[in-house]
Amino acid sequence: MSAAIIDGKILAAQVKQEAAAAVRALQQWGKATPCLAVLLVGEDPASQVYVRGKESDCAACGIESRVCRLPETTTQAELLDRLAALAADPAVHGILVQLPLPRHIDPAAVIAAIPPEKDVDGFTPVNAGNLLTGGSCFVPCTPAGCLRMIRSTGLDLAGKQAVVVGRSNIVGKPAALLLLQQNATVTVCHSRTQGLAEICRRADVLVAAVGKAGFITGDMIKPGAVVIDVGINRGADGKLRGDVDFASAREVAGFITPVPGGVGLMTRAMLMWNTVLAAARQSGVDLGVSRKG
Ligand code: NDP
């Protein structure tokens, strides 16, 4: 039997509609229109595309966007100065530094300079620590999108086996924490993991965030499992492929996300939600949710 597709287009549209409705509510209550500032350094073509996508998502949700495009030669000190100005600007509610940065700039130093209350990517040590300890935070957009996709299947995660392949700070680790918060039993795998296929086959929920096209094959999947493919890998033919071998996986899984049209769209939508949440919090408004999951 072929797996049901978890459609990122439909779910992302829902999240963006919710964000747009929250923007309208803030405006009706006399609060500021949410504003996202993006700092883009250099000419990386993929980053340019991502930033244009963010601008159009903001427009669709009624969020104001400001993009600071800086030359490749920008020094770390200059970037930190621009960041400090945005941090101090009360009209700016969310700040995002588009990664990767040029090699001469230390991303950790730049991210640490984003005020936690404007850190809509959820990458600062304060937000990462609050996610770990269960405090109020901004959840990184990709793992938040993954959780929303898993929930859309109706699966109750409590007591289920969840396996996350990949342990990056922006995807794997926060995804594992979110699944743990939902009372799943979580295993995190990485490049030193032994017996990966066997571990994956135990997973009721499998999240693949490896960065290797087609790495997870159908024989590594438990029949009926929910498979979330975070990977975005561009092949020599220019086509995007996920970390999951879609053709073999969909014959075994119960639910699966496609690439493209899956997690990537949810990441973008969750950024809109986090920006609205940031604006609400800075205006002293409780939107009634601490996290969008
Ligand atoms: P990283 O390169 O930071 O992390 C990759 C992880 O995969 C590492 O933890 C690494 O282990 C692990 N890994 C590598 N090889 C193996 C292996 N043979 N077996 C098991 N684990 C392995 O990548 P990211 O987390 O940033 O991104 C992962 C993928 O998701 C990429 O394709 C990226 O483009 C995509 N992505 C997609 C997003 C979206 O919106 N859809 C957003 C962000 C990323 P170790 O730690 O031991 O090195």
Side-chain angles (χ1 to χ4, degrees), residues 13 165 181 184 277:
V165 188
Q181 279 174 2
L277 197 54

Side-chain angles (χ1 to χ4, degrees), residues 122-189:
F123 290 171
T124 59
V126 169
N127 276 311
N130 283 343
L131 180 63
L132 182 73
T133 54
S136 171
C137 63
F138 291 104
V139 179
C141 302
T142 301
C146 292
L147 186 62
R148 176 98 177 206
M149 294 180 111
I150 295 165
R151 282 185 165 165
S152 77
T153 68
L155 180 76
D156 178 5
L157 279 163
K160 297 294 188 302
Q161 294 287 338
V163 172
V164 180
V165 188
R167 57 173 166 180
S168 70
N169 289 336
I170 62 170
V171 187
K173 283 182 200 162
L177 288 171
L178 290 180
L179 291 161
L180 193 58
Q181 279 174 2
Q182 299 297 314
N183 298 313
T185 300
V186 183
T187 305
V188 182
C189 301

Side-chain angles (χ1 to χ4, degrees), residues 60-226:
C61 295
I63 294 170
E64 202 184 304
S65 70
R66 289 192 205 172
V67 179
C68 306
R69 290 184 166 82
L70 301 170
E72 181 85 21
T73 50
T74 304
T75 65
Q76 183 165 316
E78 286 165 343
L79 179 58
L80 288 172
D81 278 350
R82 294 299 288 263
L83 190 50
L86 295 171
D89 186 342
V92 171
H93 304 101
I95 301 174
L96 181 148
V97 178
Q98 185 65 45
L99 301 175
L101 289 166
R103 295 170 73 92
H104 62 277
I105 298 178
D106 174 12
V110 175
I111 286 165
I114 302 172
E117 67 276 13
K118 296 190 179 185
D119 169 30
V120 285
D121 254 342
F123 290 171
T124 59
V126 169
N127 276 311
N130 283 343
L131 180 63
L132 182 73
T133 54
S136 171
C137 63
F138 291 104
V139 179
C141 302
T142 301
C146 292
L147 186 62
R148 176 98 177 206
M149 294 180 111
I150 295 165
R151 282 185 165 165
S152 77
T153 68
L155 180 76
D156 178 5
L157 279 163
K160 297 294 188 302
Q161 294 287 338
V163 172
V164 180
V165 188
R167 57 173 166 180
S168 70
N169 289 336
I170 62 170
V171 187
K173 283 182 200 162
L177 288 171
L178 290 180
L179 291 161
L180 193 58
Q181 279 174 2
Q182 299 297 314
N183 298 313
T185 300
V186 183
T187 305
V188 182
C189 301
H190 46 79
S191 64
R192 309 286 182 90
T193 296
Q194 294 188 2
L196 180 72
E198 192 190 325
I199 296 168
C200 290
R201 274 194 294 270
R202 293 203 292 262
D204 300 302
V205 173
L206 181 62
V207 178
V210 188
K212 293 186 174 163
F215 182 75
I216 302 286
T217 45
D219 59 330
M220 298 166 77
I221 292 171
K222 179 177 177 176
V226 176

